Amino acid sequence: MPESQNDKSKRSILLAEDLDEDDLLLAKMGYKQELYRGFNAFMSFSFCFTAVAVISSCSILFPYGLKTGGPVVMMWGWMIGSFFSILVGLSMAEICSSYPSAGSVYHWAGMLANPKWAPFSSYLCGWFNFMGNAAGDASFAFGFAQVLNAAITLATNGDTNLPVYAEVGFAVFISMLWGIKNRMRVDHQGWFNNVSAVYQLLSTFIVIVTLLIASPSLSSSKFVWTEFNNGSQLPSVSYTCCIGLLMCLFGFSGYEGGAHMAEETKNASSSAPRGIVLTCIASALTGLFYLGGLLYACQGQIDGILDGKSEQAVVNVYSLAFTDKDNKLNLAGALAMTIMLLINLFFAGFSSMTVTSRIGFAMARDGAFPYSKKLYVINQETKAPDRIIFLVFLIDVALCLLPLISQTAFQAITSITTIGYQISYAIPIMLRLTVSRNSFQKSSFHLGPFSEVVGWTAVIWLIITSIIFLLPTEFDENSHQTAQGFNYTCVVVGVILIIAFIYWFLPAPYGAKHFFVGPKRESILSNSLSKTQIKSVIQVTDEDEKKSLKDEREISFEKP
């Protein structure tokens, strides 16, 4: 029987008193609660820390660091990069506290920009962030395949070394596993990430202590803190030092991950920003400890590590540390360390794909992608964005094919990750300092009088380092660029931006500029709206329907 107009007006939604502070804050931003809010404060931190995966990131780019500056750039570059990354994290945490939504930087750019430019600002920021996240997934996937290959090489005493296409195949397979696992309900993922965060911290301690104890000799402190190496034929010391920063900044990429999960986090306005800051601090200390341990355990043998039995330098460090003075290898010990690293990489890639799917979900919700209406579908059983997860998987697979062109292409993936993140971080921070300087409403986490100083320092750092990572990272012996050593970052970034701009400027009604309005702004439901006022627009029918809808968290608004 058709529902009458009177029945529709009495249709149950949720009483305002049934909405907690998180749902009310999301409602004031113009969105209903659709994702399952199952993260607590520790889950937010553990997820963010796992997504950054500083141990996995440092391991993936360890050979890059040895060639582009060596130990002195790796150690001092890590400390310098950590300091500025913490400043960026503080600036983003301040914004996150005021706008805790799944769109994170994408949503913030739309809220902080001038209304006229808000759609384009959020659109551009979202594409950069989505690009960085997707490239991060691919980096972890191919890094996993490289370490797996190194483990096989180690186990067979160097007799077996998988070709690049086999590594790509393993990368695609592991990406598929991450996609399948990401279809779980988020609270189940949360406990998975709790285990992952604890495992990362414990495994780091175990690996480093074990390496230092097992190694028959250690590098000198002079080597660890002052040794310089230019194995990529870079033109000058200063140029090498700048290019070498990639290892540190790739290691920190993704520390806004907790913000992407804000709509699935309880007490999001305080839990999510704390997760960002604590992740930056924990990653800085953990990464410094891990890099220092590896460099002390490598026994001062840069060439031996880079040209060892396997193609993965970290695994060669493990092998060297478990080789006694009589040149006898303790294979079980070296493999145990390698397997621990593989588990870390699996956890890292899983969390990274989760973050990518959430920024994709937020962008599809606002129509930022072609066929957004078809992509913006929530699995009603798990509350997971299944179609977005599948899209992310396809993009990750495409990026994993880059190493088939050249090994330098893998470094391009890591550069794409870093640049995508950094520009998407810089846009909302700059808007907060300029357009919204006087209108920004502080929340529970704020920097007080230090907000502008910290913010501008962060923006300048992000812009300069992003430009650096577009520069060549390897030259031949004659200081010339070759196809094998070419930095493909500019090509991939350029192609992605061309696609984004084409979609934006297509003729009506196909171009995004003709319909995309960006994230809903506070004018839809003013941030000054009180709970009493919200009660007047939120109605409920009978208790049975109220109970059935409560789990779905469906919120609907009518004009008072």
Side-chain angles (χ1 to χ4, degrees), residues 6 135 195 236 249 268 278 280 329 332 379 411 493 513 536 538 549:
N6 187 50
V195 173
S236 68
L249 297 184
L278 289 176
C280 289
L329 172 65
N379 185 316
Q411 294 173 10
V493 171
K513 66 176 294 185
S536 67
I538 301 180
L549 289 176

Side-chain angles (χ1 to χ4, degrees), residues 128-317:
F128 269 111
N129 193 256
F130 186 73
M131 174 182 69
N133 274 286
D137 303 343
S139 298
F140 287 128
F142 192 72
F144 182 95
Q146 284 186 316
V147 174
L148 180 61
N149 186 17
I152 294 172
T153 302
L154 185 64
T156 59
N157 196 29
D159 294 335
T160 303
N161 186 35
L162 299 178
V164 176
Y165 66 82
E167 290 182 331
V168 170
F170 276 115
V172 171
F173 176 73
I174 202 68
S175 296
M176 182 180 67
L177 292 183
W178 291 337
I180 293 172
K181 195 162 188 355
N182 262 293
R183 297 183 70 248
M184 293 170 53
R185 207 172 76 173
V186 72
D187 54 340
H188 299 158
Q189 292 184 38
W191 289 110
F192 179 83
N193 284 291
N194 286 352
V195 173
S196 174
V198 173
Y199 174 81
Q200 282 198 56
L201 292 170
L202 287 178
S203 63
T204 303
F205 178 79
I206 292 171
V207 168
I208 295 306
V209 170
T210 303
L211 290 178
L212 295 179
I213 293 175
S215 182
S217 63
L218 298 175
S219 305
S220 66
S221 293
K222 181 180 179 181
F223 170 85
V224 173
W225 294 97
T226 65
E227 183 71 18
F228 177 81
N229 180 56
N230 184 2
S232 296
Q233 310 295 329
L234 298 175
S236 68
V237 173
S238 57
Y239 187 96
T240 305
C241 292
C242 290
I243 295 298
L245 285 172
L246 174 62
M247 192 193 73
C248 170
L249 297 184
F250 174 72
F252 270 89
S253 295
Y255 45 88
E256 93 294 3
H260 286 297
M261 306 302 292
E263 290 184 32
E264 297 159 89
T265 303
K266 300 172 184 175
N267 301 316
S269 62
S270 58
S271 297
R274 284 205 306 267
I276 294 173
V277 176
L278 289 176
T279 294
C280 289
I281 295 173
S283 296
L285 297 175
T286 306
L288 185 65
F289 179 63
Y290 184 64
L291 284 176
L294 289 177
L295 291 172
Y296 273 106
C298 79
Q299 302 172 33
Q301 300 184 33
I302 293 179
D303 292 336
I305 297 301
L306 291 173
D307 301 321
K309 289 182 179 180
S310 76
E311 295 182 356
Q312 182 49 252
V314 170
V315 176
N316 292 335
V317 173

Side-chain angles (χ1 to χ4, degrees), residues 422-471:
Q422 299 221 133
I423 294 178
S424 70
Y425 296 168
I427 291 174
I429 296 175
M430 181 176 287
L431 290 172
R432 151 77 179 92
L433 296 169
T434 54
V435 178
S436 297
R437 180 180 180 183
N438 298 321
S439 60
F440 179 74
Q441 297 183 4
K442 296 178 180 178
S443 186
S444 57
F445 184 98
H446 59 87
L447 303 178
F450 301 101
S451 180
E452 291 196 15
V453 174
V454 171
W456 279 116
T457 304
V459 168
I460 294 170
W461 169 259
L462 290 169
I463 293 174
I464 292 176
T465 50
S466 295
I467 294 172
I468 288 174
F469 298 144
L470 292 172
L471 302 176

